[in-house]
Amino acid sequence: MTDTNLPQPPAAQPPAPVATAAEYAAAPAAPVVPGKGLGIAGLILAIFLPLIGLIVSIIAKSKSKKAGVKNTPATAGIIVGAILTVVGVTVMIVIIAVSASLVGGLAEVCSELGTGVWEVDGVTYTCG
């Protein structure tokens, strides 16, 4: 004899669908840009070490160009690297010119004063 008032066990649920390998393979993948990682590295290097960043960015741009794709980070690295390299070279030229002028001026003063320690217009010169 069965009692119809007793609770019945729940009916079994069907298992959740599982994705197959074919479904995973059909998912679209992001396009791979050859040299993009190198372009990003070149851009970062261009900020801190402009000449090295410029060279790395040019290499990255070349790899991307051979593959026929754009590489914006490499292009930006080339621009930033070129500008900062020119600025750095200009600053170095100015520093060398100013240093040479100061050393030349000191040599001229010492040639006039001779060997020893001299004070001229509140400036102390040590010659010899």
Side-chain angles (χ1 to χ4, degrees):
M1 179 161 193
T2 60
D3 190 2
T4 57
N5 293 335
L6 291 175
Q8 298 296 319
Q13 296 289 334
V18 178
T20 64
E23 292 172 335
Y24 280 118
V32 176
V33 178
K36 186 167 186 174
L38 198 58
I40 293 169
L43 176 58
I44 293 169
L45 281 171
I47 295 169
F48 298 105
L49 302 168
L51 185 58
I52 295 171
L54 175 63
I55 293 168
V56 171
S57 295
I58 290 171
I59 293 169
K61 182 76 171 179
S62 174
K63 284 185 176 190
S64 297
K65 190 173 183 181
K66 285 180 184 176
V69 294
K70 285 179 68 175
N71 191 340
T72 306
T75 304
I78 292 170
I79 294 168
V80 170
I83 290 171
L84 292 181
T85 298
V86 168
V87 168
V89 168
T90 304
V91 167
M92 289 302 296
I93 290 171
V94 168
I95 289 172
I96 291 170
V98 169
S99 298
S101 174
L102 291 174
V103 169
L106 180 61
E108 184 180 324
V109 169
C110 285
S111 69
E112 291 177 12
L113 297 175
T115 306
V117 178
W118 304 92
E119 186 170 334
V120 178
D121 297 328
V123 178
T124 303
Y125 296 96
T126 304
C127 302

